[in-house]
Amino acid sequence: ARVFHNVAQETDAEGRPPKSVEVVVLGGAEMDVAQAIHQTIAAGIQPYGEIEVVVKDAGGQDQTIRFSRAEVVDIYVSVTVTTDALYPLDGDEQVQDAIIRYVGGIDNQGAPHNGLGLGQDVVWTALIQAARSVPGVQDVAITVGTAPNPTGTVNLGIGDRQVAETTPDKVVVTRA
């Protein structure tokens, strides 16, 4: 989650009303998110966002809680590894999972990984480091992008309201 405050007396550039807070979240059931915001927001502060949920306060009164969802940015990675005899039989999957643990997403076993947080850029050299963490990987060539068939060898900027994610089908591993 990421919280944006507008403490000014006028609407800010993002459209948040005066004296408001916008919580941008990834995951979580809407009611659970709304309850958490309701329990932590100060009196007099207006919750702002695209999603609206009604919760009951301690007195049984309806309170409207608003928040927004993070925009998921799909990350595509093409990895070419040079390996030695220590490279395991499932080495390609291990490389995929190492990259998924760094970026965030669902790995080959179906396990979720938080990886990078909201607004954190994908660092190209960190992808290389993740791939090299697998035993038997001697050298790595990586391209990365936000579309299939990535060609970039630079960092990918992720906006304040975005989060990077990937999955095994978006991380293609080949051996040189």
Side-chain angles (χ1 to χ4, degrees), residues 11-78:
T11 300
D12 69 12
E14 297 292 322
R16 287 181 284 267
K19 303 295 183 187
S20 68
V21 63
E22 180 181 18
V23 179
V24 179
V25 299
L26 177 67
E30 287 185 0
M31 184 56 78
D32 292 341
V33 172
Q35 287 286 358
I37 293 168
H38 176 66
Q39 291 170 358
T40 57
I41 198 168
I45 302 299
Q46 179 180 357
Y48 173 80
E50 302 160 354
I51 297 170
E52 185 175 292
V53 179
V54 175
V55 300
K56 298 279 187 198
D57 65 17
Q61 299 297 309
D62 287 344
Q63 299 295 323
T64 301
I65 303 296
R66 293 178 182 85
F67 63 93
S68 298
R69 293 282 182 190
E71 175 191 350
V72 174
V73 177
D74 289 327
I75 303 299
Y76 295 83
V77 185
S78 177

Coordinates of all heavy atoms in Angstrom, one line a residue, residues 11-78:
T11 N -8.1 21.4 -3.9 CA -7.9 20.1 -4.6 C -6.5 20.1 -5.2 O -6.0 21.1 -5.8 CB -8.9 19.9 -5.7 OG1 -10.2 19.9 -5.0 CG2 -8.8 18.6 -6.4
D12 N -5.8 18.9 -5.0 CA -4.4 18.9 -5.5 C -4.4 18.5 -7.0 O -5.5 18.2 -7.6 CB -3.5 17.9 -4.7 CG -3.9 16.5 -4.8 OD1 -4.7 16.1 -5.6 OD2 -3.4 15.7 -3.9
A13 N -3.2 18.4 -7.6 CA -3.1 18.1 -9.0 C -3.6 16.7 -9.4 O -3.9 16.5 -10.6 CB -1.6 18.2 -9.4
E14 N -3.7 15.8 -8.5 CA -4.2 14.4 -8.7 C -5.7 14.3 -8.5 O -6.2 13.2 -8.7 CB -3.5 13.4 -7.8 CG -2.0 13.3 -8.0 CD -1.6 12.7 -9.4 OE1 -2.3 11.8 -9.8 OE2 -0.6 13.2 -10.0
G15 N -6.3 15.4 -8.2 CA -7.8 15.4 -8.0 C -8.2 15.1 -6.6 O -9.4 15.0 -6.3
R16 N -7.3 14.9 -5.6 CA -7.7 14.7 -4.3 C -8.2 15.9 -3.6 O -7.6 17.0 -3.7 CB -6.5 14.1 -3.5 CG -6.1 12.7 -3.8 CD -4.9 12.3 -3.0 NE -3.6 12.8 -3.5 CZ -2.8 12.3 -4.4 NH1 -3.1 11.1 -4.9 NH2 -1.7 12.9 -4.8
P17 N -9.4 15.8 -3.0 CA -10.0 17.0 -2.3 C -9.2 17.5 -1.1 O -8.3 16.8 -0.7 CB -11.4 16.5 -1.8 CG -11.4 15.0 -2.1 CD -10.2 14.6 -2.8
P18 N -9.4 18.7 -0.7 CA -8.7 19.2 0.5 C -8.9 18.3 1.7 O -9.9 17.7 1.9 CB -9.4 20.6 0.8 CG -10.1 20.9 -0.5 CD -10.4 19.6 -1.2
K19 N -7.8 18.2 2.5 CA -7.8 17.5 3.8 C -8.3 16.0 3.5 O -9.1 15.5 4.2 CB -8.7 18.1 4.8 CG -8.3 19.5 5.1 CD -7.0 19.6 5.8 CE -6.6 21.0 6.1 NZ -5.3 21.2 6.6
S20 N -7.6 15.4 2.6 CA -8.0 14.0 2.2 C -6.7 13.1 2.2 O -5.6 13.6 2.2 CB -8.7 13.9 0.9 OG -7.8 14.2 -0.2
V21 N -7.0 11.8 2.2 CA -6.0 10.8 2.0 C -6.4 9.8 1.0 O -7.6 9.4 1.0 CB -5.7 10.2 3.4 CG1 -6.8 9.4 3.9 CG2 -4.5 9.3 3.3
E22 N -5.5 9.4 0.1 CA -5.8 8.3 -0.8 C -4.8 7.2 -0.5 O -3.6 7.4 -0.6 CB -5.6 8.8 -2.3 CG -5.9 7.7 -3.3 CD -5.7 8.1 -4.7 OE1 -5.0 9.1 -5.0 OE2 -6.2 7.4 -5.6
V23 N -5.4 6.0 -0.3 CA -4.6 4.8 -0.1 C -4.7 4.0 -1.4 O -5.8 3.7 -1.9 CB -5.2 4.0 1.1 CG1 -4.4 2.7 1.3 CG2 -5.2 4.8 2.3
V24 N -3.5 3.7 -2.0 CA -3.4 2.9 -3.2 C -2.9 1.5 -2.7 O -1.8 1.4 -2.1 CB -2.4 3.6 -4.2 CG1 -2.3 2.7 -5.5 CG2 -2.9 4.9 -4.6
V25 N -3.6 0.5 -3.0 CA -3.3 -0.9 -2.6 C -3.2 -1.9 -3.7 O -3.8 -1.7 -4.7 CB -4.3 -1.4 -1.5 CG1 -4.4 -0.5 -0.3 CG2 -5.7 -1.5 -2.2
L26 N -2.4 -2.9 -3.4 CA -2.3 -4.1 -4.3 C -2.8 -5.2 -3.5 O -2.3 -5.5 -2.4 CB -0.9 -4.3 -4.7 CG -0.7 -5.5 -5.6 CD1 -1.4 -5.3 -7.0 CD2 0.8 -5.8 -5.8
G27 N -3.8 -5.9 -4.0 CA -4.4 -7.1 -3.3 C -5.3 -6.7 -2.1 O -5.6 -5.6 -1.8
G28 N -5.8 -7.8 -1.5 CA -6.7 -7.6 -0.4 C -8.1 -7.5 -0.8 O -8.4 -6.9 -1.8
A29 N -9.0 -8.1 0.0 CA -10.4 -8.0 -0.2 C -10.9 -6.6 0.1 O -10.4 -5.9 1.0 CB -11.2 -9.0 0.7
E30 N -11.8 -6.1 -0.7 CA -12.3 -4.7 -0.6 C -12.7 -4.4 0.8 O -12.4 -3.3 1.4 CB -13.4 -4.4 -1.6 CG -12.8 -4.3 -3.0 CD -13.9 -3.8 -4.0 OE1 -15.1 -3.6 -3.7 OE2 -13.5 -3.7 -5.2
M31 N -13.5 -5.2 1.4 CA -14.0 -4.9 2.8 C -12.8 -4.9 3.8 O -12.8 -4.0 4.7 CB -15.0 -6.0 3.2 CG -15.7 -5.7 4.6 SD -16.4 -4.0 4.7 CE -18.0 -4.3 3.8
D32 N -11.9 -5.8 3.6 CA -10.7 -5.8 4.6 C -9.9 -4.5 4.4 O -9.5 -3.9 5.4 CB -9.8 -7.0 4.3 CG -10.5 -8.3 4.6 OD1 -11.5 -8.4 5.4 OD2 -10.0 -9.4 4.1
V33 N -9.7 -4.1 3.2 CA -8.9 -2.9 3.0 C -9.7 -1.7 3.6 O -9.1 -0.8 4.3 CB -8.7 -2.6 1.5 CG1 -8.1 -1.3 1.2 CG2 -7.8 -3.7 0.9
A34 N -11.0 -1.6 3.3 CA -11.8 -0.5 3.8 C -11.8 -0.5 5.3 O -11.7 0.6 5.9 CB -13.3 -0.6 3.3
Q35 N -12.0 -1.6 6.0 CA -11.9 -1.7 7.4 C -10.6 -1.2 8.0 O -10.6 -0.5 9.0 CB -12.2 -3.2 7.9 CG -13.6 -3.6 7.7 CD -14.6 -3.0 8.7 OE1 -14.2 -2.3 9.6 NE2 -15.8 -3.4 8.6
A36 N -9.5 -1.6 7.3 CA -8.2 -1.2 7.8 C -8.0 0.3 7.7 O -7.5 1.0 8.6 CB -7.1 -1.9 7.0
I37 N -8.5 0.9 6.6 CA -8.5 2.4 6.4 C -9.3 3.0 7.5 O -8.9 4.0 8.2 CB -8.9 2.8 5.0 CG1 -7.8 2.3 4.0 CG2 -9.0 4.3 4.9 CD1 -8.3 2.4 2.6
H38 N -10.5 2.5 7.7 CA -11.5 3.1 8.6 C -10.9 3.1 10.1 O -11.0 4.1 10.8 CB -12.8 2.4 8.6 CG -13.8 2.9 9.7 ND1 -14.3 4.1 9.6 CD2 -14.2 2.2 10.8 CE1 -15.1 4.3 10.7 NE2 -15.1 3.1 11.4
Q39 N -10.2 2.0 10.4 CA -9.6 1.9 11.8 C -8.4 2.8 12.0 O -8.0 3.0 13.1 CB -9.3 0.4 12.0 CG -10.5 -0.4 12.1 CD -10.2 -1.9 12.2 OE1 -9.0 -2.3 12.1 NE2 -11.2 -2.7 12.3
T40 N -7.8 3.3 10.9 CA -6.5 4.0 11.1 C -6.7 5.5 10.7 O -5.8 6.3 11.0 CB -5.4 3.4 10.3 OG1 -5.8 3.3 8.9 CG2 -5.1 2.0 10.8
I41 N -7.7 5.9 9.9 CA -7.8 7.3 9.4 C -8.2 8.2 10.6 O -9.1 7.8 11.4 CB -8.7 7.3 8.2 CG1 -8.5 8.6 7.5 CG2 -10.2 7.2 8.6 CD1 -9.2 8.6 6.1
A42 N -7.7 9.4 10.6 CA -8.0 10.3 11.7 C -9.4 10.9 11.3 O -9.8 11.1 10.2 CB -7.0 11.4 11.7
A43 N -10.1 11.3 12.4 CA -11.4 12.0 12.2 C -11.2 13.3 11.4 O -10.2 14.0 11.6 CB -12.0 12.3 13.6
G44 N -12.1 13.6 10.6 CA -12.1 14.8 9.8 C -11.3 14.7 8.5 O -11.2 15.6 7.7
I45 N -10.6 13.6 8.3 CA -9.9 13.3 7.0 C -10.7 12.5 6.1 O -11.2 11.5 6.5 CB -8.5 12.6 7.3 CG1 -7.7 13.4 8.3 CG2 -7.8 12.3 6.0 CD1 -7.3 14.8 7.8
Q46 N -10.9 13.0 4.9 CA -11.8 12.3 3.9 C -11.0 11.3 3.1 O -10.0 11.6 2.5 CB -12.3 13.4 3.0 CG -13.2 12.8 1.9 CD -13.7 13.9 0.9 OE1 -13.5 15.1 1.1 NE2 -14.4 13.5 -0.1
P47 N -11.4 10.0 3.1 CA -10.8 9.0 2.3 C -11.2 9.2 0.8 O -12.4 9.5 0.5 CB -11.3 7.7 2.8 CG -12.6 8.0 3.5 CD -12.5 9.5 4.0
Y48 N -10.2 9.1 -0.1 CA -10.5 9.4 -1.5 C -10.0 8.2 -2.3 O -9.0 7.6 -1.9 CB -9.7 10.7 -1.9 CG -9.7 11.0 -3.3 CD1 -10.8 11.6 -3.9 CD2 -8.6 10.6 -4.1 CE1 -10.8 11.8 -5.3 CE2 -8.6 10.9 -5.5 CZ -9.7 11.5 -6.1 OH -9.7 11.7 -7.4
G49 N -10.7 7.9 -3.4 CA -10.2 6.9 -4.3 C -11.3 6.4 -5.2 O -12.5 6.9 -5.2
E50 N -11.0 5.5 -6.1 CA -11.9 5.0 -7.1 C -12.9 4.0 -6.6 O -13.9 3.8 -7.2 CB -11.1 4.4 -8.3 CG -10.1 5.4 -8.9 CD -9.0 4.7 -9.7 OE1 -8.9 3.4 -9.6 OE2 -8.2 5.4 -10.3
I51 N -12.5 3.3 -5.6 CA -13.3 2.2 -5.0 C -14.0 2.7 -3.8 O -13.4 3.4 -2.9 CB -12.5 0.9 -4.7 CG1 -11.9 0.4 -6.0 CG2 -13.3 -0.1 -4.0 CD1 -10.9 -0.7 -5.8
E52 N -15.3 2.4 -3.7 CA -16.1 2.9 -2.5 C -16.7 1.7 -1.8 O -17.3 0.9 -2.4 CB -17.2 3.8 -3.1 CG -18.0 4.5 -2.0 CD -19.0 5.5 -2.6 OE1 -18.6 6.5 -3.2 OE2 -20.2 5.2 -2.6
V53 N -16.5 1.7 -0.5 CA -17.0 0.6 0.3 C -17.6 1.2 1.6 O -17.1 2.1 2.2 CB -15.9 -0.4 0.7 CG1 -16.4 -1.5 1.6 CG2 -15.2 -1.0 -0.5
V54 N -18.8 0.7 2.0 CA -19.5 1.2 3.2 C -19.2 0.3 4.3 O -19.4 -1.0 4.2 CB -21.0 1.3 3.0 CG1 -21.7 1.7 4.2 CG2 -21.3 2.3 1.8
V55 N -18.7 0.8 5.4 CA -18.4 0.0 6.6 C -19.2 0.6 7.8 O -19.6 1.8 7.7 CB -16.9 0.0 7.0 CG1 -16.1 -0.6 5.8 CG2 -16.3 1.4 7.3
K56 N -19.3 -0.2 8.8 CA -20.0 0.3 10.0 C -19.0 0.8 11.0 O -18.0 0.2 11.2 CB -20.8 -0.8 10.7 CG -21.9 -1.4 9.8 CD -23.1 -0.5 9.9 CE -24.3 -1.2 9.2 NZ -25.4 -0.3 8.8
D57 N -19.3 2.0 11.6 CA -18.4 2.5 12.7 C -18.7 1.9 14.0 O -19.7 1.1 14.1 CB -18.3 4.0 12.7 CG -19.7 4.6 13.1 OD1 -20.6 3.9 13.6 OD2 -19.9 5.8 12.8
A58 N -18.0 2.3 15.1 CA -18.3 1.7 16.4 C -19.7 1.9 16.9 O -20.2 1.1 17.7 CB -17.3 2.3 17.4
G59 N -20.3 3.0 16.4 CA -21.7 3.3 16.8 C -22.8 2.7 15.9 O -24.0 2.9 16.0
G60 N -22.3 1.8 14.9 CA -23.2 1.2 14.0 C -23.7 2.0 12.8 O -24.5 1.6 12.0
Q61 N -23.1 3.2 12.6 CA -23.4 4.1 11.5 C -22.6 3.7 10.3 O -21.4 3.3 10.4 CB -23.1 5.5 11.9 CG -23.9 6.0 13.1 CD -25.4 6.0 12.8 OE1 -25.9 6.5 11.8 NE2 -26.2 5.4 13.7
D62 N -23.2 3.9 9.1 CA -22.5 3.7 7.9 C -21.5 4.7 7.6 O -21.7 5.9 7.8 CB -23.5 3.6 6.7 CG -24.3 2.4 6.7 OD1 -24.0 1.4 7.4 OD2 -25.3 2.4 5.9
Q63 N -20.3 4.3 7.2 CA -19.2 5.2 6.8 C -18.7 4.8 5.5 O -18.4 3.6 5.3 CB -18.0 5.2 7.9 CG -18.4 5.6 9.3 CD -18.9 7.1 9.3 OE1 -18.3 7.9 8.7 NE2 -19.9 7.3 10.2
T64 N -18.6 5.8 4.6 CA -18.1 5.5 3.2 C -16.6 5.6 3.2 O -16.1 6.7 3.5 CB -18.8 6.4 2.2 OG1 -20.2 6.2 2.2 CG2 -18.3 6.1 0.8
I65 N -15.9 4.6 2.8 CA -14.5 4.6 2.7 C -14.1 4.4 1.2 O -14.7 3.6 0.5 CB -13.9 3.4 3.5 CG1 -14.3 3.5 5.0 CG2 -12.4 3.4 3.4 CD1 -13.8 4.8 5.7
R66 N -13.2 5.2 0.8 CA -12.7 5.1 -0.6 C -11.2 4.8 -0.6 O -10.5 5.3 0.3 CB -13.0 6.4 -1.3 CG -14.5 6.7 -1.5 CD -14.7 8.0 -2.2 NE -16.1 8.3 -2.3 CZ -16.9 8.8 -1.4 NH1 -16.4 9.2 -0.3 NH2 -18.2 9.0 -1.6
F67 N -10.8 4.1 -1.7 CA -9.4 3.8 -1.9 C -9.2 3.5 -3.4 O -10.2 3.4 -4.1 CB -8.9 2.7 -1.0 CG -9.5 1.4 -1.2 CD1 -9.0 0.5 -2.0 CD2 -10.7 1.1 -0.5 CE1 -9.6 -0.8 -2.2 CE2 -11.3 -0.2 -0.7 CZ -10.7 -1.1 -1.5
S68 N -8.0 3.3 -3.8 CA -7.7 3.0 -5.2 C -6.8 1.8 -5.2 O -6.1 1.4 -4.3 CB -6.9 4.2 -5.8 OG -7.7 5.3 -5.8
R69 N -6.9 1.1 -6.4 CA -6.0 -0.1 -6.7 C -4.8 0.4 -7.5 O -4.9 1.2 -8.3 CB -6.8 -1.1 -7.5 CG -7.9 -1.8 -6.7 CD -7.4 -2.8 -5.8 NE -8.5 -3.5 -5.1 CZ -8.3 -4.3 -4.1 NH1 -7.1 -4.5 -3.6 NH2 -9.4 -4.8 -3.5
A70 N -3.7 -0.3 -7.2 CA -2.5 -0.1 -7.9 C -2.6 -0.6 -9.4 O -3.3 -1.6 -9.6 CB -1.3 -0.7 -7.3
E71 N -2.0 0.0 -10.3 CA -1.9 -0.5 -11.7 C -0.8 -1.4 -11.8 O 0.4 -1.1 -11.5 CB -1.7 0.7 -12.6 CG -1.6 0.3 -14.1 CD -1.1 1.4 -15.0 OE1 -1.1 2.5 -14.6 OE2 -0.7 1.1 -16.1
V72 N -1.1 -2.6 -12.2 CA 0.0 -3.7 -12.4 C 0.6 -3.5 -13.8 O 0.0 -3.3 -14.8 CB -0.6 -5.1 -12.3 CG1 0.4 -6.1 -12.6 CG2 -1.2 -5.3 -10.9
V73 N 2.0 -3.4 -13.8 CA 2.7 -3.3 -15.0 C 3.4 -4.6 -15.2 O 4.2 -5.1 -14.4 CB 3.8 -2.2 -14.9 CG1 4.7 -2.1 -16.1 CG2 3.2 -0.8 -14.6
D74 N 3.0 -5.3 -16.3 CA 3.6 -6.6 -16.7 C 5.0 -6.4 -17.1 O 5.3 -5.6 -18.0 CB 2.8 -7.3 -17.8 CG 1.4 -7.8 -17.3 OD1 1.3 -8.2 -16.1 OD2 0.5 -7.8 -18.1
I75 N 5.9 -7.2 -16.6 CA 7.3 -7.2 -16.9 C 7.7 -8.5 -17.7 O 7.4 -9.6 -17.2 CB 8.2 -7.0 -15.7 CG1 7.8 -5.8 -14.9 CG2 9.7 -7.0 -16.0 CD1 7.9 -4.5 -15.6
Y76 N 8.3 -8.3 -18.8 CA 8.7 -9.4 -19.7 C 10.2 -9.4 -19.7 O 10.9 -8.4 -19.8 CB 8.2 -9.2 -21.1 CG 6.7 -9.3 -21.2 CD1 5.9 -8.2 -21.0 CD2 6.1 -10.5 -21.6 CE1 4.5 -8.3 -21.1 CE2 4.7 -10.6 -21.7 CZ 3.9 -9.4 -21.4 OH 2.6 -9.5 -21.5
V77 N 10.8 -10.6 -19.5 CA 12.2 -10.8 -19.4 C 12.7 -11.9 -20.3 O 12.1 -13.0 -20.3 CB 12.7 -11.1 -17.9 CG1 14.2 -11.1 -17.8 CG2 12.1 -10.0 -17.0
S78 N 13.7 -11.7 -21.1 CA 14.3 -12.7 -21.9 C 15.7 -12.9 -21.3 O 16.5 -12.0 -21.2 CB 14.4 -12.2 -23.4 OG 15.1 -13.2 -24.1

